[in-house]
Amino acid sequence: RLARQGTRFADAFATTPSCGPSRAVIYTGLQTHSNGQYGHGHGIHTYRLAPNVQTVFQLLVDNGYSTALIGKRHTTPDEAYPFTFERNCSGRDINGITNLAREFIAQADGKPFFLAVGYSDPHPTSRERPGWGTVKRYKLPSLKSYTPDNVTVPSYLPDRSEVREGLAGYYEQISQLDHGVGQILDLLKETGIADETLVIFTSDHGSSEPGAMGNHYEPGIQVPLIVRCPGVKSLGTANRALVTLADITPTILDWTQTNAP
């Protein structure tokens, strides 16, 4: 539905194939060597944005916007991400994310807002076999399931039983994500703001399979990117322009008429 209503960028790429540093690029519009976050901010990594770097959240707050990041965050340091709405839940909890998004839009009370939704799926659930698949606690009853025999194995992976098993779970997670995106689109329509809201759908990197995430081969950095922009006539089209996730923040600043550093 989103692709029919917007523009799908067929050649969109992450600038780095790892969650934390990729999100730093998404939320600053700066390449890694400029924003300073070369790795994850949590655990043993402890990378963080350079002190002088301003995120899109900070710039929009300064421009009078309500801001929130619901679901998976992977952001650091906290002071660079000023949220006016501080409620969160698991990135795998599709219904919980939608409910918080509804609460956030309601409390904005007509004020312009910027909402980032971070879904954890699709993402491995463990290092053991099968390693993919939705977490039972959050699995939606109506979710589509896939059988290993019927999945398409990408050319960069061996066609083996355990690979097919993992991919079946991977596609299940994608269906769960798809359902969550649909709920957000429905929410925008229910609240009467769908025709005045810029919607951007993407991922911070490619598949987490071997040879993908953590590598600058195409499976690791090529990402989905769909933009639904009110007033744009080229709906349901595929754009072959080469774009990266560093283009997102400048686009948002331009759309919201927010001054950039």
Side-chain angles (χ1 to χ4, degrees):
R1 185 198 337 177
L2 187 58
R4 286 197 308 269
Q5 296 174 350
T7 300
R8 178 174 60 85
F9 289 85
D11 291 304
F13 292 87
T15 62
T16 181
S18 182
C19 314
S22 181
R23 288 165 190 262
V25 173
I26 294 172
Y27 295 140
T28 66
L30 299 175
Q31 300 286 350
T32 301
H33 62 270
S34 294
N35 69 48
Q37 186 173 338
Y38 287 86
H40 294 319
H42 63 277
I44 63 173
H45 310 282
T46 65
Y47 286 93
R48 52 197 283 128
L49 292 175
N52 63 326
V53 172
Q54 292 179 285
T55 66
V56 65
F57 294 96
Q58 179 67 68
L59 295 168
L60 289 174
V61 165
D62 292 345
N63 195 25
Y65 274 69
S66 294
T67 62
L69 172 51
I70 299 172
K72 183 176 179 179
R73 293 198 174 186
H74 265 242
T75 54
T76 186
D78 291 342
E79 57 267 26
Y81 294 88
F83 306 122
T84 62
F85 180 83
E86 272 286 5
R87 297 280 304 282
N88 206 16
C89 65
S90 169
R92 299 189 189 277
D93 185 359
I94 299 298
N95 292 332
I97 286 174
T98 303
N99 290 336
L100 285 181
R102 180 177 287 107
E103 187 177 332
F104 167 68
I105 292 174
Q107 64 84 42
D109 195 26
K111 185 178 180 180
F113 68 83
F114 174 60
L115 170 63
V117 173
Y119 294 107
S120 294
D121 290 326
H123 195 282
T125 53
S126 74
R127 299 187 184 197
E128 306 299 327
R129 187 177 183 185
W132 286 106
T134 52
V135 176
K136 291 181 180 179
R137 178 182 175 188
Y138 300 117
K139 184 175 181 178
L140 301 173
S142 59
L143 188 69
K144 183 177 180 180
S145 60
Y146 300 83
T147 58
D149 290 343
N150 294 330
V151 301
T152 300
V153 179
S155 60
Y156 64 92
L157 293 175
D159 191 348
R160 297 170 55 171
S161 60
E162 61 269 31
V163 172
R164 286 182 168 274
E165 185 179 314
L167 287 172
Y170 176 51
Y171 294 153
E172 184 180 88
Q173 288 185 332
I174 291 175
S175 288
Q176 180 118 316
L177 162 71
D178 183 74
H179 188 85
V181 172
Q183 287 184 343
I184 297 295
L185 296 180
D186 289 342
L187 174 59
L188 294 176
K189 187 174 181 180
E190 290 167 15
T191 51
I193 56 176
D195 292 337
E196 56 190 71
T197 304
L198 177 70
V199 178
I200 300 174
F201 170 78
T202 191
S203 174
D204 53 4
H205 54 69
S207 165
S208 296
E209 297 288 352
M213 183 179 71
N215 295 278
H216 271 91
Y217 299 120
E218 284 205 15
I221 57 173
Q222 188 163 20
V223 294
L225 178 61
I226 302 173
V227 179
R228 188 179 78 179
C229 182
V232 174
K233 301 298 183 182
S234 57
L235 303 180
T237 60
N239 189 310
R240 300 305 304 229
L242 186 65
V243 296
T244 78
L245 299 185
D247 296 314
I248 290 179
T249 280
T251 298
I252 294 170
L253 296 179
D254 184 61
W255 167 261
T256 59
Q257 298 181 7
T258 300
N259 291 329

